[in-house]
Amino acid sequence: MIAGKPTTSADRVKTRKTRRLGLLTAACASAVALLAWAPAGAFGAECDNFSPNDLDPSIPTFHDWAIANGVTPDTLGGFNTGTTSRHTTAQVNAYMEAVAAATAGNDRVKIITRQTGTSNLGKPFKYAVVSSPDNIDNLDSGRNDGAFWRGVREGTISAEQGEAEADERPALIWLTATPHGSEPAAGEALSRLLYEFAARRDCHNVDRLNNLDTFITPVTNPDGRDASAGGTRTTAYGFDPNRDFATRNQDVNQARILEIYKYPGPIYVDAHQQSSGYFFPPNEDAVHHEVSEFSWKFIQNKIGPALQQTFNDQTSQYRNYNSYDLFAMVYGDSVPSVQLGAAGMTFEKGTSESYGKQVYDHYLALDETANVASRDKADIMADWSAQWEEAKEQGEAGFLPPNHLVSPLNPEIIDQPDTDVFGYYYLPNNHPGDTAKLMREMIETGVHVYRLDQDVSVPAAHTFGPPGSEPMVLPAGTLWIPSGQTNKHWIQAILGEDPFMPVSYHYDVVNWSWSQLRGQSGNGYLTEAMPGSPAMTEITAADFGGVTDVAKPVLAFPTDSAQGATMLIDLLRRGADVSRSDEAFEAGGVEFPTGTGLVDSSTIGSATIAEISEERQVPVTGLDDYPSARHDLVEPKIGLYTGSTAVPTNPLQPGTGNGHCATAGLTGATNYCEMLNVLAIQLDIPLTVIQPVTSTDLAAGFLVSQNYTAFVNPGQTIAAGPGATALQAFVNNGGNYVGSLAGGTTTARNAGFTTLNTQSTSGPPWNDPCPAGAPSAFDTSGVSLMGEFNPDDPVAWGFDNGGFLYRDATSNPVYDPATLGSTNVAVSYPDPLTAFGYTCNATGAGELPGRPAVADVAFGAGHATMLGFNPWYRAWNDSNWRMALNAALYPNGASIPVAPAAKKAAADGAETANEPIPADELPRIANRPVIHSHDAGKDIRITALSHGHIRGLHRMLRKSGAPAKAMRKAKFTTEGKYDVLTIRGMRILDPELRPTWQLELGQNARDSGYALTNL
Ligand SMILES: [Zn+2]
């Protein structure tokens, strides 16, 4: 604990835990405890006739079932290496149903199965619950075990009550197969485990059935599992579902994850596959400060050692302390850890052995995990219950606990939480549609949200973004998420604006904060307690929709949310006359930001706009007249660039493919499907408005001939040629171009819209020393930064409170302002620049501060916008969607002055729209290549801290089994006092995707005592 923090109650909980399990000792002792721990008397004395071969013949084995149903292979295994021996989703589910059906009327075991929804490609999401008949009958009725544990988690049932009933009620545990479809072996492993739960009549299994309700999900991503012979990693839209556990914006996670809140418990296993070997926790890397002590110590001191013992007994190869983290709140281990208070764990089995061995090793780990939960069930559930009260007490004290490093290999913590957080506030009329979505997603996860019934003066409010806190009046109507509630860990882990990264190492993103990604500028959190007991009401929804004064001539709604910006499209496509205000204004006591939607009420039905307002959760206010100068919008038809000559197969546009985008095999397919998912699914824009445009369509002049209004390019480079020529003609004649990333900017240069280019980040000042262990290089891997928005520019309309920028990768463009020419800067990196999350060489002088992030330029009668990031990334960033929609809807007509009498005069030429550039004055179409940078973060670097190691490094690389390409690229150099091995550009950051030779090289380098600069 940090000195001076109020820890009395937490200490009380800790004392009780220590007494109970004797495993929750001081953090610094945990590594020692792990080595020393051995299971005492594996099973209770009352059950010593262990005979797992006493099997109930009424339960079908997989083999018998497969023979009877003509399924091959007819075992839960197979001799092939790789994953092609996997069974299909339909086969795995059919066996699950057969085992469940066979338990009907059984007085020892009962299995129920449930469907939580249907995948993008029409396949069912299913899980089974196996337990004793008494437990199953009391899951949702009778004793209502599900509701009971749910109540403990949500704080409606006290921790004391949970502890008191820990003996009598089963623990609910989740054993799930990975959402990665190309890692299928846990599907077969869980099928075997389900069979054993059902068929084994020995007393150990009877104990497990009495102690546990085991929730088994053998197939989490049916579309991915079935998309190709060995399975395909992603969802059908090409998303990595193991980065979406918190956001749940993908089908794989949406309905399924809501089930885990209904049935919370102490274990959630996410069983994946990697290149070789077996990995189970503890992880090497950091544990997020909001992972409860119960959670990480249960993994560290109890489950990890039990799995080690089990694997040791069978001389099975395994690894611990691999470079997985329990930090980023995106994964199937970290998210359940904070949401369920569970031991959230990633298991990884290599695909290099025969499939039968892959299945067996997963079975072994999953089976032992269930055994651990069963053995100490009453104590585990008492401790699991206590953590919720502890979390609430921490929240009431505003306390953020420290980050932890559980690995003995990781020496140094570089950052710790340094603020107090008492709760999050959301001011009235500030980003309403996106705030409503945020509240819905928090409430769905069991978080309590309140609306203030009165004005409340608070002593210290911190607005998201700039440092510091100040006194403030939160007006009545403010929404309030107090930290002092049982789900405090989850609230802080996902809403906290700074993750306080404890290490300089990362293999994915370093920020995932919904406060920034959802564009919550102007809102914030309290750094001192809210005084007194102000009147407030708990809400079940934000309820921002509705129209005030619908009969008035002008209907106004803010577009400072992605939902509000999309509402412009909703109304335009229904034929309404819609314009946007050039300026912010105040009406009826409400502040309306720049770009406010203004609808001629005579052009839309009152019921229609009321319905749209409810759907988007954006309030509409009737006004007597137009309140400000404004620009008319045209009904949009938006072309989405596919990046190749065809439309990649996807769930909405399967074409002749299987509907799974990752199998399309086309350039740009992933970018296209990601963008399509955001626009069509997340924002619910109909496919009549957003239509695919292939490179062939583009070159054939479809943008002009088929009356498109905007063309959105998610990052592809369109080279000089017919496509770029047609694009130039389109924009010149009044179209809007929206291009993201370096490719989108290069396209704009090739078409002659802009001279904007990037600058190299390969030399000074981008290569100063970084914190220990990190390469001396520019590094912005998935980080939020402050943005400086110019709300006079229509691309930044609605960002009157400022906002945030998200660089999803170091390779996002770094624009050179000297190349701007006549291009405007809509959004820039402010100077000084605050980053939320780990960066290196990003925020200093000459680095990002002051550079453009979003630039736009008028070209002929149209407009081009360049976004220096990927707005569609992981479908995460409502704030970026707003910018992209603003750019696509850019109003190219003349500004219409405020006074109705002046309207005609304006039309006569007070301000006119731009005209197309005459053909003989058009800039030349030419390739104007991007300035390349080298990302040293992708280099493998191994450093020997003295001379004389060149031969040793060479030998080590060869022994690792490195492929010829890596041997060719390997450079052995002497840098000052050090000998260094460098392999440029070959480092795979995600340890799961890292090939065996890199795993071995890293391991051998560590064993040899080399400093692992980067692997
Ligand atoms: Zn995986």
Side-chain angles (χ1 to χ4, degrees):
M1 293 291 175
I2 290 175
K5 295 289 178 183
T7 57
T8 317
S9 52
D11 286 345
R12 177 179 61 73
V13 174
K14 199 158 126 187
T15 306
R16 186 174 56 225
K17 279 184 180 171
T18 307
R19 189 183 66 239
R20 195 177 294 282
L21 277 179
L23 58 86
L24 300 173
T25 48
C28 57
S30 54
V32 177
L34 175 65
L35 299 173
W37 192 88
F43 293 97
E46 63 281 356
C47 176
D48 52 10
N49 59 335
F50 182 58
S51 50
N53 293 325
D54 177 12
L55 300 170
D56 183 340
S58 73
I59 309 295
T61 64
F62 185 85
H63 179 70
D64 290 346
W65 173 85
I67 297 286
N69 290 278
V71 170
T72 54
D74 61 12
T75 67
L76 289 168
F79 293 106
N80 294 347
T81 59
T83 55
T84 53
S85 295
R86 65 101 177 87
H87 295 85
T88 63
T89 301
Q91 290 166 345
V92 173
N93 282 343
Y95 179 63
M96 181 171 82
E97 295 293 351
V99 174
T103 65
N106 194 309
D107 60 6
R108 182 180 45 78
V109 61
K110 186 169 179 178
I111 295 174
I112 53 173
T113 65
R114 285 181 176 156
Q115 182 174 345
T116 57
T118 305
S119 74
N120 286 318
L121 299 181
K123 294 168 190 279
F125 295 117
K126 289 194 152 191
Y127 70 86
V129 192
V130 56
S131 191
S132 69
D134 177 66
N135 284 340
I136 294 290
D137 293 344
N138 284 287
L139 179 61
D140 292 312
S141 57
R143 282 198 314 266
N144 270 312
D145 294 327
F148 181 82
W149 294 125
R150 185 156 70 240
V152 172
R153 174 179 178 267
E154 295 181 6
T156 55
I157 292 171
S158 71
E160 285 69 23
Q161 194 66 24
E163 292 179 75
E165 301 193 28
D167 249 338
E168 299 139 42
R169 295 178 186 269
L172 317 182
I173 70 167
W174 285 86
L175 305 177
T176 75
T178 170
H180 291 148
S182 55
E183 301 164 12
E188 280 80 2
L190 285 164
S191 299
R192 171 169 173 177
L193 193 59
L194 186 70
Y195 167 77
E196 291 201 4
F197 266 112
R200 273 175 48 188
R201 292 186 290 208
D202 59 274
C203 62
H204 298 144
N205 194 49
V206 171
D207 280 353
R208 293 201 302 192
L209 294 172
N210 289 331
N211 286 333
L212 308 174
D213 288 355
T214 304
F215 290 66
I216 289 180
T217 312
V219 179
T220 299
N221 177 1
D223 290 350
R225 187 180 183 96
D226 296 345
S228 60
T232 299
R233 181 176 174 90
T234 63
T235 71
Y237 284 99
F239 287 75
D240 185 334
N242 195 32
R243 303 295 183 272
D244 178 50
F245 264 73
T247 36
R248 319 193 294 286
N249 61 41
Q250 293 299 297
D251 61 336
V252 166
N253 294 326
Q254 269 155 1
R256 180 176 70 83
I257 291 184
L258 293 178
E259 293 294 291
I260 73 178
Y261 314 132
K262 278 194 213 160
Y263 304 107
I267 284 175
Y268 186 97
V269 178
D270 192 24
H272 289 247
Q273 296 204 252
Q274 59 183 6
S275 58
S276 63
Y278 200 96
F279 168 80
F280 50 81
N283 307 329
E284 174 180 351
D285 294 310
V287 177
H288 191 278
H289 45 278
E290 294 297 340
V291 174
S292 72
E293 278 193 40
F294 166 79
S295 169
W296 70 263
K297 289 186 175 175
F298 188 25
I299 297 169
Q300 180 84 356
N301 299 347
K302 199 81 177 169
I303 300 171
L307 294 180
Q308 286 179 338
Q309 175 114 357
T310 300
F311 275 65
N312 287 342
D313 285 350
Q314 305 207 10
T315 60
S316 297
Q317 182 205 29
Y318 63 88
R319 301 186 183 102
N320 300 134
Y321 298 126
N322 270 52
S323 50
Y324 291 92
D325 65 52
L326 202 58
F327 199 86
M329 287 301 143
V330 301
Y331 306 118
D333 51 13
S334 52
V335 174
S337 287
V338 295
Q339 286 187 335
L340 299 186
M345 294 179 289
T346 296
F347 292 173
E348 295 272 1
K349 174 59 194 174
T351 57
S352 60
E353 294 176 90
S354 70
Y355 197 64
K357 182 63 161 56
Q358 299 171 35
V359 170
Y360 180 76
D361 281 4
H362 259 334
Y363 155 79
L364 190 64
L366 290 159
D367 179 68
E368 181 58 11
T369 302
N371 292 340
V372 171
S374 174
R375 276 202 288 267
D376 288 325
K377 185 265 296 185
D379 286 345
I380 290 166
M381 288 315 293
D383 288 341
W384 182 86
S385 298
Q387 71 179 318
W388 301 105
E389 182 66 25
E390 184 183 25
K392 184 179 178 188
E393 289 168 357
Q394 280 185 6
E396 284 166 347
F399 175 58
L400 309 189
N403 294 310
H404 296 285
L405 288 175
V406 297
S407 166
L409 304 174
N410 232 326
E412 193 188 354
I413 288 189
I414 62 172
D415 199 9
Q416 288 287 21
D418 62 358
T419 184
D420 292 344
V421 179
F422 289 83
Y424 289 83
Y425 64 84
Y426 300 87
L427 300 175
N429 299 307
N430 195 25
H431 319 297
D434 292 350
T435 303
K437 175 181 157 187
L438 178 62
M439 295 305 120
R440 185 179 74 241
E441 293 181 357
M442 296 306 287
I443 291 167
E444 275 176 352
T445 59
V447 169
H448 300 286
V449 181
Y450 302 84
R451 176 176 280 118
L452 300 184
D453 296 327
Q454 59 174 92
D455 292 358
V456 180
S457 291
V458 297
H462 168 82
T463 304
F464 291 129
S469 303
E470 52 189 25
M472 183 174 181
V473 175
L474 300 178
T478 297
L479 301 187
W480 168 240
I481 300 180
S483 298
Q485 58 180 303
T486 48
N487 272 306
K488 174 261 185 180
H489 292 311
W490 164 236
I491 293 167
Q492 182 59 30
I494 204 68
L495 298 182
E497 68 176 346
D498 190 330
F500 303 107
M501 283 291 291
V503 290
S504 55
Y505 172 86
H506 54 81
Y507 68 85
D508 195 67
V509 299
V510 300
N511 185 296
W512 50 86
S513 170
W514 287 0
S515 297
Q516 288 136 3
L517 294 169
R518 311 294 177 88
Q520 292 294 322
S521 55
N523 297 325
Y525 57 85
L526 300 191
T527 57
E528 290 182 35
M530 185 181 281
S533 306
M536 63 180 80
T537 306
E538 184 167 6
I539 61 169
T540 54
D543 199 16
F544 288 146
V547 184
T548 307
D549 293 335
V550 72
K552 291 201 170 179
V554 177
L555 300 173
F557 61 92
T559 62
D560 59 347
S561 64
Q563 296 299 321
T566 313
M567 198 163 143
L568 296 165
I569 295 174
D570 296 336
L571 292 160
L572 287 164
R573 73 183 179 84
R574 287 173 172 85
D577 179 328
V578 185
S579 53
R580 297 182 80 179
S581 71
D582 293 357
E583 288 150 25
F585 61 90
E586 189 263 323
V590 177
E591 304 278 346
F592 288 87
T594 52
T596 286
L598 301 169
V599 187
D600 177 340
S601 68
S602 69
T603 63
I604 189 80
S606 57
T608 305
I609 194 162
E611 190 183 313
I612 293 170
S613 168
E614 284 297 336
E615 274 170 20
R616 296 288 175 195
Q617 287 290 296
V618 176
V620 177
T621 307
L623 307 177
D624 291 322
D625 206 341
Y626 286 103
S628 108
R630 62 200 167 91
H631 275 82
D632 259 332
L633 299 188
V634 296
E635 184 178 345
K637 180 179 176 186
I638 302 173
L640 306 183
Y641 187 48
T642 67
S644 67
T645 55
V647 181
T649 187
N650 69 72
L652 293 172
Q653 296 148 335
T656 55
N658 64 7
H660 198 294
C661 187
T663 68
L666 296 172
T667 301
T670 303
N671 283 350
Y672 172 78
C673 292
E674 194 175 54
M675 168 173 65
L676 179 69
N677 180 274
V678 169
L679 295 171
I681 305 297
Q682 313 301 330
L683 289 174
D684 198 21
I685 298 172
L687 294 182
T688 49
V689 177
I690 44 172
Q691 299 193 17
V693 174
T694 67
S695 56
T696 313
D697 300 339
L698 177 67
F702 278 20
L703 292 179
V704 172
S705 66
Q706 300 197 0
N707 302 310
Y708 282 89
T709 62
F711 177 66
V712 187
N713 170 9
Q716 304 309 311
T717 297
I718 298 170
T725 303
L727 178 60
Q728 186 188 66
F730 166 68
V731 174
N732 191 37
N733 283 292
N736 287 329
Y737 170 76
V738 186
S740 45
L741 296 170
T745 308
T746 300
T747 297
R749 281 194 310 280
N750 294 350
F753 305 146
T754 183
T755 50
L756 181 66
N757 206 329
T758 56
Q759 94 157 51
S760 172
T761 56
S762 301
W766 309 92
N767 55 359
D768 287 340
C770 294
S776 292
F778 175 55
D779 189 343
T780 60
S781 295
V783 66
S784 276
L785 301 121
M786 285 297 292
E788 189 163 298
F789 290 74
N790 172 14
D792 292 334
D793 185 320
V795 176
W797 273 350
F799 286 87
D800 302 42
N801 286 335
F804 307 95
L805 292 163
Y806 193 79
R807 292 180 62 86
D808 61 276
T810 299
S811 59
N812 284 184
V814 172
Y815 290 129
D816 178 358
T819 62
L820 273 168
S822 58
T823 302
N824 309 308
V825 177
V827 190
S828 59
Y829 295 99
D831 187 3
L833 175 61
T834 305
F836 304 95
Y838 173 80
T839 62
C840 193
N841 292 313
T843 60
E847 295 164 353
L848 288 178
R851 289 179 187 276
V854 178
D856 67 289
V857 63
F859 183 85
H863 209 86
T865 302
M866 286 65 66
L867 302 165
F869 43 78
N870 176 5
W872 320 113
Y873 181 69
R874 294 184 178 172
W876 269 8
N877 201 318
D878 307 50
S879 173
N880 282 350
W881 305 345
R882 259 203 275 164
M883 281 184 250
L885 289 172
N886 277 349
L889 299 175
Y890 197 99
N892 289 308
S895 178
I896 303 165
V898 61
K903 196 167 178 178
K904 187 158 184 320
D908 291 342
E911 184 191 332
T912 55
N914 293 326
E915 295 292 326
I917 301 167
D920 58 352
E921 293 172 25
L922 281 168
R924 198 165 54 85
I925 300 290
N927 285 327
R928 300 175 178 98
V930 70
I931 306 286
H932 285 286
S933 296
H934 174 68
D935 181 358
K938 299 276 171 67
D939 295 346
I940 292 170
R941 262 178 76 87
I942 294 171
T943 306
L945 296 176
S946 57
H947 293 164
H949 295 275
I950 298 288
R951 281 178 58 198
L953 287 166
H954 196 277
R955 196 165 49 241
M956 197 172 66
L957 178 62
R958 210 175 46 243
K959 265 181 59 187
S960 72
K965 184 181 175 194
M967 295 301 295
R968 272 199 312 277
K969 289 185 127 187
K971 293 253 181 332
F972 301 87
T973 53
T974 298
E975 299 178 8
K977 291 179 286 187
Y978 309 139
D979 287 342
V980 181
L981 160 61
T982 308
I983 311 175
R984 272 170 79 95
M986 286 196 77
R987 179 173 172 238
I988 308 275
L989 274 75
D990 186 337
E992 184 177 76
L993 299 175
R994 202 170 288 162
T996 302
W997 71 268
Q998 290 191 17
L999 290 171
E1000 290 202 4
L1001 182 63
Q1003 194 64 50
N1004 292 340
R1006 281 189 179 118
D1007 292 348
S1008 307
Y1010 294 133
L1012 273 177
T1013 314
N1014 214 25
L1015 182 57

